[in-house]
Amino acid sequence: MASMASLLLKTPNPSHPFPKSHKTHLQFNPKFSIPLLSDKKKKRNSIRISCCLIEPDGGKLIELVVPEPQRDEKRREAMSVPRIKLSRIDIQWLHVLSEGWASPLRGFMRESEFLQTLHFNSLRLDDGSVVNMSVPIVLAIDDGQKQRIGESRKVGLMDSHDNPVAILSNIEIYKHNKEERIARTWGTTAPGLPYVDEAIKNAGNWLIGGDLAVIEPIKYNDGLDQYRLSPAELREEFTRRNADAVFAFQLRNPVHNGHALLMTDTRRCLLEMGYKNPVLLLHPLGGYTKADDVPLSWRMKQHEKVLEEGVLNPETTVVAIFPSPMHYAGPTEVQWHAKSRINAGANFYIVGRDPAGMSHPVEKRDLYDADHGKKVLSMAPGLERLNILPFKVAAYDKKQMKMAFYDPSRPQDFLFISGTKMRSLAKNRENPPDGFMCPGGWKVLVEYYDRLVPSEKEKFREAIPV
């Protein structure tokens, strides 16, 4: 992956220094939508473009990794108090919290934060302001662990090898009402929800919250850690590139030319608005995903080819891994995806059709309305500062032999290639139409499915932190 790293770091020298202070990012309606740019010329004179990154939620990025001189002391302290072993997904949430993706959270949620998240999809801060928080970030324990903790006010958090990774202080233990959590997060308690089966169904009946001190940065040692840039590191990179706008695009699938068209068209629109150097944050999800999704390592190989073959411009694109696990909770979860990118410095967020959605686990239909994600983002509490860019539908234009924005006046000319169809073609070593995906990227996808053929039951697992 070294070739991809070199591509990502190739940027022109900035023509002027980037302001050090963080101020409000725009002076116009924060719910501006890219597809509605017919009157952009009229707006242009009234828009004041700011070249400062958007402030993190709560005004300050919360980073929870302790300074290096204190780490040995914290390791000893973690071994001297009651200890909890973390699951793979627990570690991923620890990673999220440690770097400030969930700012202003300072640890796993206490009960008041948990209830606000479930019932309001937001948190009210001490100053009365509201920040978005739509998915619970909690740590479950069982009856035996609760008993062992007893009256202790802190616990040590251990990885799968019993190495101390963090201390949770000023703890609060409260009831884990799984049914309420599932119903309010997913809008259903139907069996077969992937995250529920993986992380909630067999979890303990109690939740423990408190203040985190993470002993050292979370690493996975899988050859991809150089792409796991923290919000602070991303802000530094955007500053170095002299970005005056950052637009984020999350995906958990390979990038095809329709995705690329959307991203390049968004940059074109931002330039027409008056921005001088909009930078794309291409931000694949790197935590837990369901078994039939393409694993992270293969997605990153495919993204490498997209940059190498010039489908996206490496000088105006930052590729990084977002460490969050995936809930597949539709309009509820997409708020988390948008909110977390504010903390990384993005002031524009591209939202697609049925974001964070999935098929209903029992019935033959989508679990969520395909349009509800973008509608919810346009009015979600705590996201008023973020500009939501609804996905423009792209499909394969048979006349032009390339991916293009759908033209409803000639529907017979367009071919929609679903993710299911794309996977089926790759599994059968069939080529998609020319212009659907760059050749190198398609070759990576075919190679992945080739490796699945010997044993359909074999599951490619994401790396576990060590």
Side-chain angles (χ1 to χ4, degrees):
M1 301 294 288
S3 59
M4 186 175 179
S6 63
L7 282 169
L8 298 181
L9 296 177
K10 181 183 176 184
T11 56
N13 293 326
S15 57
H16 57 277
F18 195 93
K20 294 181 180 179
S21 62
H22 299 311
K23 300 178 181 178
T24 302
H25 63 303
L26 292 176
Q27 303 296 324
F28 66 102
N29 181 4
K31 294 306 173 190
F32 158 81
S33 167
I34 279 288
L36 304 179
L37 283 178
S38 58
D39 58 346
K40 60 183 176 288
K41 292 183 179 178
K42 290 187 290 184
K43 291 184 179 181
R44 188 176 297 164
N45 292 335
S46 65
I47 295 174
R48 294 181 58 195
I49 302 299
S50 167
C51 56
C52 298
L53 296 181
I54 188 173
E55 286 185 346
D57 275 342
K60 179 183 179 182
L61 193 63
I62 304 300
E63 299 177 277
L64 302 174
V65 178
V66 301
E68 192 166 358
Q70 301 175 20
R71 290 176 185 172
D72 286 341
E73 177 186 349
K74 290 295 182 183
R75 288 188 185 94
R76 290 192 293 270
E77 184 179 1
M79 298 298 291
S80 70
V81 296
R83 299 188 289 278
I84 297 171
K85 182 175 288 191
L86 301 181
S87 69
R88 178 172 66 110
I89 289 181
D90 292 334
I91 289 280
Q92 291 170 0
W93 283 123
L94 183 76
H95 186 178
V96 165
L97 290 165
S98 73
E99 295 183 340
W101 295 102
S103 294
L105 281 184
R106 294 182 173 273
F108 288 105
M109 290 178 174
R110 297 182 173 91
E111 187 175 38
S112 64
E113 296 163 328
F114 176 66
L115 291 175
Q116 288 181 75
T117 296
L118 284 189
H119 291 271
F120 311 127
N121 285 355
S122 60
L123 300 175
R124 187 171 296 279
L125 306 185
D126 291 340
D127 63 2
S129 63
V130 171
V131 299
N132 193 272
M133 183 59 67
S134 63
V135 298
I137 303 180
V138 292
L139 179 59
I141 58 173
D142 59 28
D143 293 350
Q145 291 170 316
K146 180 177 182 292
Q147 186 174 6
R148 286 192 294 274
I149 291 169
E151 299 299 317
S152 177
R153 295 299 300 146
K154 63 177 63 175
V155 295
L157 304 182
M158 320 300 287
D159 67 14
S160 59
H161 302 290
D162 290 322
N163 299 312
V165 292
I167 295 173
L168 195 65
S169 303
N170 302 315
I171 62 174
E172 177 185 346
I173 298 176
Y174 55 100
K175 191 69 176 176
H176 186 190
N177 188 332
K178 299 179 188 179
E179 183 178 15
E180 181 185 21
R181 177 184 174 188
I182 295 165
R184 289 191 173 276
T185 303
W186 282 270
T188 181
T189 55
L193 297 168
Y195 186 92
V196 172
D197 289 346
E198 182 78 16
I200 299 179
K201 181 188 294 184
N202 297 317
N205 294 322
W206 304 93
L207 297 175
I208 180 170
D211 300 321
L212 267 176
V214 180
I215 294 172
E216 60 185 3
I218 303 297
K219 300 295 181 185
Y220 296 73
N221 300 319
D222 59 351
L224 299 176
D225 282 332
Q226 71 269 32
Y227 298 113
R228 293 185 174 95
L229 302 180
S230 69
E233 290 170 330
L234 284 168
R235 285 173 172 271
E236 290 176 3
E237 179 63 15
F238 298 143
T239 299
R240 190 180 72 82
R241 294 187 184 222
N242 200 33
D244 57 359
V246 176
F247 58 107
F249 185 73
Q250 171 178 300
L251 69 171
R252 64 178 193 272
N253 292 304
V255 174
H256 59 63
N257 290 351
H259 296 138
L261 172 65
L262 177 70
M263 290 181 269
T264 55
D265 189 67
T266 297
R267 187 172 195 275
R268 177 191 63 78
C269 292
L270 292 174
L271 289 169
E272 289 187 2
M273 286 174 57
Y275 288 96
K276 301 300 182 185
N277 189 30
V279 170
L280 165 65
L281 172 59
L282 180 60
H283 215 197
L285 186 135
Y288 162 80
T289 55
K290 55 189 175 69
D292 61 348
D293 281 348
V294 177
L296 175 64
S297 59
W298 288 91
R299 284 184 276 130
M300 293 304 291
K301 289 179 183 179
Q302 195 269 347
H303 297 352
E304 174 183 1
K305 297 301 180 183
V306 169
L307 288 175
E308 282 183 357
E309 297 183 22
V311 177
L312 293 173
N313 183 353
E315 294 190 353
T316 57
T317 303
V318 175
V319 178
I321 294 171
F322 178 46
S324 176
M326 188 76 190
H327 277 64
Y328 304 92
T332 296
E333 185 174 17
V334 75
Q335 295 173 65
W336 158 244
H337 293 163
K339 171 254 172 37
S340 57
R341 276 37 181 250
I342 292 176
N343 289 326
N347 53 344
F348 290 88
Y349 184 79
I350 301 173
V351 57
R353 179 189 178 278
D354 194 20
M358 58 172 281
S359 297
H360 193 284
V362 177
E363 303 172 15
K364 291 184 178 181
R365 62 178 177 88
D366 288 341
L367 184 55
Y368 306 106
D369 186 294
D371 292 328
H372 281 184
K374 65 183 180 184
K375 290 179 179 178
V376 165
L377 283 188
S378 70
M379 52 190 174
L383 294 182
E384 294 83 3
R385 298 182 299 137
L386 187 64
N387 299 279
I388 305 303
L389 311 178
F391 213 111
K392 294 164 69 176
V393 177
Y396 187 77
D397 188 329
K398 293 182 286 186
K399 278 193 171 181
Q400 299 187 62
M401 298 182 66
K402 66 177 185 179
M403 296 298 286
F405 291 125
Y406 178 69
D407 183 353
S409 69
R410 49 186 187 95
Q412 70 281 358
D413 294 334
F414 287 88
L415 176 65
F416 288 90
I417 302 175
S418 66
T420 301
K421 177 64 174 176
M422 178 182 71
R423 290 190 290 270
S424 176
L425 290 172
K427 287 177 183 177
N428 295 322
R429 299 184 61 85
E430 298 177 31
N431 290 325
D434 289 342
F436 172 74
M437 184 184 290
C438 65
W442 184 254
K443 184 177 179 181
V444 168
L445 196 58
V446 169
E447 183 183 353
Y448 163 66
Y449 283 110
D450 273 353
R451 296 198 178 196
L452 287 181
V453 170
S455 173
E456 288 293 334
K457 295 181 180 179
E458 179 182 353
K459 302 298 182 187
F460 282 73
R461 305 290 289 179
E462 302 295 344
I464 298 176
V466 293

